[in-house]
Amino acid sequence: MKIQSKAVHVGDRKRTPPEHVPVTTPIYTAASYFYDRSSRLDRIFGHEEHGYAYARYDNPTNVALEEVVTSMENGYGALACASGMAALQIALNAALMDRRRSVLAATAIYGATIKLLMNVLEPMGIAIHWVDICDLDAVRESIETVKPGCVLMESISNPVLRVGQIDRVAELCRAGGAALMVDSTFATPLVVRPLELGANYVIHSLTKYLNGHGDVLGGIAVTDEANFEPMKQLGRVCGPLLGPFEAYLTMRGIKTFPVRMERQCANACRVASWLASHPKVERVFFPADPAHPDADTIRRLFTPDLYGAMVSFEIRDARAPEVFAFLDALEMVVPATSLGDVHTMALYPNSSTHRDVSPAQRARLGIRENLVRLSVGIEAPEDITADLDQALRR
Ligand SMILES: *Cc1c(COP(=O)(O)O)cnc(C)c1O
């Protein structure tokens, strides 16, 4: 071979199976795969044999990530996507493909999800209805009257941390012929596993706890057996997939996810009870609070002693300028969008996640002008509270 040919062929595509097994899955960037016999590629294209043909269909790095998340959620299969929103969109499209074209969504839900429903799906002819997912009678009545093809909720809602009864909602969905989709980004499979409770789809923004290091944008949709193939087929056609670099980084992040999350949950308990007795704090929202409106559900469905690591609180007598002053005074806690990273983060829902939600709707959701959302990290808890303290006292 001449150097021009060597440059593009040597080292790659070794025919003999390697003797070694890499201990972690490498980053497969190849766009396509070939086999010694074309008949084999033919069988792979025809789904008669498992294998890789083209990166929009399957990629070994993504498959490794999909396997680990599917396993943690006790699901059947998953599709790793370029963002949480991409995962949500492809899952909603898949769920509605052969069901009634309407969605019944929890009112307390992520801001971009509201926009996806209102600005993308509704103009495409999908009817969107809303319900307080923590009010089971209202959910039953809505399912009967609206007859949705899919019910969409979050396992811990954003930002006031309400918790719906996933198992009971799942029963109502089954009776009404609707699929149940749960965005479980805030809870993670360590705290609650919606598929075990009867949900059909679980969505995660991988950007958050599962990757956990603030350096990946990604999402994943995990399903039960009946709903996997249609979603996978849609993914093959639409191509919303996560890139292999991001899949690799997320896989790396997941190795320490349970250890990080346990620490973050424990830290969040400490921060929440510290905030509750702070003179500048009017009110704290945290699922471990015995006075939480969904305390019974939390006790019933969550892993004992784990309540997630999100804490929201209201600063006494504060309006937007005072909240900005608090955020600007933070020295260690990072005042930025996102959550679930190893570092503690603070966010103002009114100017970020719920910016485009109308003031009236915000009021209905209990999102006041003095509300701050904290994602508690893995730092020493006394450093977190010390930083919050000095910023609150400015
Ligand atoms: C961040 C987030 C999303 C969207 O995920 P992206 O990765 O930003 O697209 C969806 N749901 C919840 C609850 C989130 O926190």
Side-chain angles (χ1 to χ4, degrees):
M1 261 196 269
K2 295 270 172 38
I3 190 166
Q4 292 84 350
S5 309
K6 284 180 177 173
V8 295
H9 289 294
V10 174
D12 283 332
R13 304 179 292 277
K14 294 186 182 69
R15 301 303 171 93
T16 49
E19 302 283 293
H20 58 272
V21 177
V23 295
T24 52
T25 305
I27 302 169
Y28 286 83
T29 55
S32 50
Y33 299 82
F34 74 98
Y35 299 85
D36 278 341
R37 290 184 314 283
S38 295
S39 58
R40 180 129 187 253
L41 185 58
D42 181 60
R43 283 202 303 280
I44 289 166
F45 270 126
H47 306 299
E48 294 154 43
E49 187 179 327
H50 176 73
Y52 299 97
Y54 186 58
R56 176 155 40 77
Y57 300 166
D58 264 322
N59 167 304
T61 318
N62 284 35
V63 166
L65 172 65
E66 288 162 355
E67 281 179 9
V68 66
V69 179
T70 299
S71 169
M72 289 195 298
E73 286 288 2
N74 266 330
Y76 177 82
L79 189 68
C81 297
S83 69
M85 293 314 298
L88 194 58
Q89 190 190 356
I90 201 94
L92 280 168
N93 281 329
L96 296 179
M97 231 162 11
D98 50 10
R99 291 186 180 93
R100 288 180 294 265
R101 293 176 62 76
S102 62
V103 175
L104 178 65
T107 41
I109 211 157
Y110 183 63
T113 305
I114 297 175
K115 278 202 244 178
L116 173 67
L117 296 171
M118 305 283 282
N119 303 354
V120 181
L121 297 187
E122 194 163 57
M124 289 170 66
I126 294 164
I128 309 295
H129 302 273
W130 304 93
V131 70
D132 173 359
I133 207 78
C134 294
D135 181 347
L136 267 193
D137 290 330
V139 174
R140 182 180 300 109
E141 210 178 290
S142 294
I143 290 179
E144 278 165 15
T145 53
V146 164
K147 301 199 189 317
C150 181
V151 173
L152 175 63
M153 65 185 287
E154 293 176 359
S155 51
I156 301 178
S157 82
N158 182 11
V160 294
L161 314 181
R162 295 292 306 265
V163 177
Q165 304 194 52
I166 299 170
D167 55 346
R168 306 271 153 82
V169 174
E171 277 169 31
L172 295 174
C173 285
R174 249 193 321 278
L180 176 60
M181 189 175 298
V182 181
D183 179 338
S184 203
T185 299
F186 274 33
T188 83
L190 200 71
V191 176
V192 73
R193 287 177 293 282
L195 295 173
E196 291 178 358
L197 300 172
N200 306 103
Y201 297 80
V202 172
I203 309 297
H204 286 287
S205 168
L206 295 169
T207 317
K208 317 293 169 56
Y209 289 102
L210 293 179
N211 177 61
H213 292 74
D215 50 9
V216 161
L217 185 76
I220 197 162
V222 191
T223 74
D224 56 15
E225 185 169 358
N227 289 288
F228 178 64
E229 268 311 314
M231 182 179 75
K232 178 76 185 166
Q233 294 308 328
L234 202 60
R236 286 174 153 231
V237 174
C238 298
L241 304 195
L242 188 65
F245 288 102
E246 286 77 9
Y248 167 80
L249 275 177
T250 307
M251 188 90 188
R252 191 180 205 275
I254 284 175
K255 309 273 182 214
T256 56
F257 152 70
V259 177
R260 283 188 276 111
M261 189 63 186
E262 277 176 15
R263 172 64 181 255
Q264 284 173 271
C265 288
N267 278 358
C269 281
R270 295 235 340 225
V271 169
S273 51
W274 177 86
L275 280 169
S277 60
H278 198 285
K280 296 287 285 284
V281 173
E282 186 174 332
R283 188 167 160 203
V284 177
F285 300 83
F286 186 59
D289 181 357
H292 190 288
D294 311 310
D296 290 342
T297 305
I298 292 162
R299 203 171 314 112
R300 209 163 59 74
L301 301 185
F302 281 15
T303 305
D305 298 326
L306 296 182
Y307 301 94
M310 301 299 297
V311 181
S312 295
F313 65 98
E314 293 174 344
I315 302 176
R316 196 177 296 283
D317 303 325
R319 307 202 59 185
E322 289 78 23
V323 174
F324 289 149
F326 162 76
L327 293 170
D328 293 343
L330 290 167
E331 287 166 358
M332 183 188 80
V333 172
V334 186
T337 292
S338 198
L339 61 113
D341 291 335
V342 286
H343 42 262
T344 299
M345 303 177 90
L347 165 147
Y348 187 38
N350 267 17
S351 66
S352 53
T353 54
H354 289 72
R355 186 182 190 93
D356 298 328
V357 176
S358 72
Q361 178 66 358
R362 270 190 228 145
R364 272 197 295 280
L365 295 174
I367 304 169
R368 293 175 60 202
E369 208 181 337
N370 59 351
L371 184 76
V372 174
R373 192 191 82 184
L374 275 186
S375 163
V376 179
I378 64 169
E379 303 98 330
E382 51 272 42
D383 287 334
I384 302 170
T385 51
D387 193 25
L388 296 174
D389 191 41
Q390 64 81 23
L392 281 169
R393 286 176 194 282
R394 290 287 170 101

